[in-house]
Amino acid sequence: MPADTQAVPSPSDTGAILEVRRVINAPRERVFRAWTTPEEVKRWSAPGRTEVATSEIDLRVGGKFTLGMRSPDGTPHDAYGEYREIDPPQRLVYSWSWVQEPDVRDTTVAVDFIDLGADGTEVVLRHEGLPTQKHRDDHNQGWTGILEKLWTYV
């Protein structure tokens, strides 16, 4: 994990909680736009060599999103959810579910975009409701890789 990316795991009564932080050297509005525009999401929102094949976003409270990722071997990793809170360019909260992994359904992702002025934007992602510590650890790898790609992209 890069020195400027931090993961802070903690248990909860409803499952595992993951918090990942990353400073992005770009203005908050730019980082928020990259996170919420389907064409841009396709360029960075999958870890490692995994690619985003499809991205659909209906950016409104109650609006839905889908994210179709594909591993280099063609394995699908399809996520979907619904926006619960949108406060541009400061915060997003949405549900997160995997099509191929029924244990991870209706978890909650909250993303805060903290303006650091000339130093860029700190992205603080908190993923709650993961059913086990193993799921938390797997998502830690995924989110950390995704934030690294976002850092490179913007």
Side-chain angles (χ1 to χ4, degrees):
M1 177 180 329
D4 53 359
T5 302
Q6 299 175 325
V8 183
S10 61
S12 78
D13 294 335
T14 59
I17 298 172
L18 171 66
E19 184 175 289
V20 181
R21 296 171 171 261
R22 179 72 158 102
V23 174
I24 308 292
N25 188 22
R28 179 168 65 170
E29 292 78 7
R30 174 69 187 104
V31 178
F32 188 88
R33 187 172 62 248
W35 203 283
T36 57
T37 305
E39 299 77 27
E40 292 199 59
V41 166
K42 283 181 166 183
R43 303 177 119 206
W44 62 268
S45 193
R49 293 180 37 227
T50 300
E51 295 182 354
V52 179
T54 61
S55 173
E56 296 178 13
I57 294 174
D58 180 7
L59 190 63
R60 61 184 175 84
V61 172
K64 311 257 194 261
F65 75 89
T66 60
L67 191 62
M69 295 175 264
R70 299 294 174 264
S71 296
D73 67 2
T75 302
H77 304 278
D78 301 311
Y80 62 94
E82 181 176 312
Y83 290 99
R84 297 177 176 163
E85 181 182 340
I86 302 169
D87 184 11
Q90 302 175 118
R91 183 171 170 84
L92 288 172
V93 179
Y94 49 89
S95 64
W96 180 273
S97 299
W98 289 107
V99 171
Q100 292 85 6
E101 194 168 346
D103 289 348
V104 181
R105 294 279 164 89
D106 202 31
T107 62
T108 300
V109 175
V111 186
D112 289 298
F113 303 88
I114 301 166
D115 187 355
L116 300 177
D119 292 328
T121 304
E122 182 176 21
V123 177
V124 180
L125 182 142
R126 187 172 171 91
H127 195 156
E128 297 186 27
L130 295 164
T132 68
Q133 297 300 310
K134 179 174 183 343
H135 285 98
R136 186 212 60 216
D137 294 345
D138 290 346
H139 283 81
N140 176 41
Q141 285 185 301
W143 287 122
T144 299
I146 286 169
L147 290 178
E148 183 66 20
K149 272 189 176 175
L150 176 63
W151 176 80
T152 301
Y153 172 70
V154 298

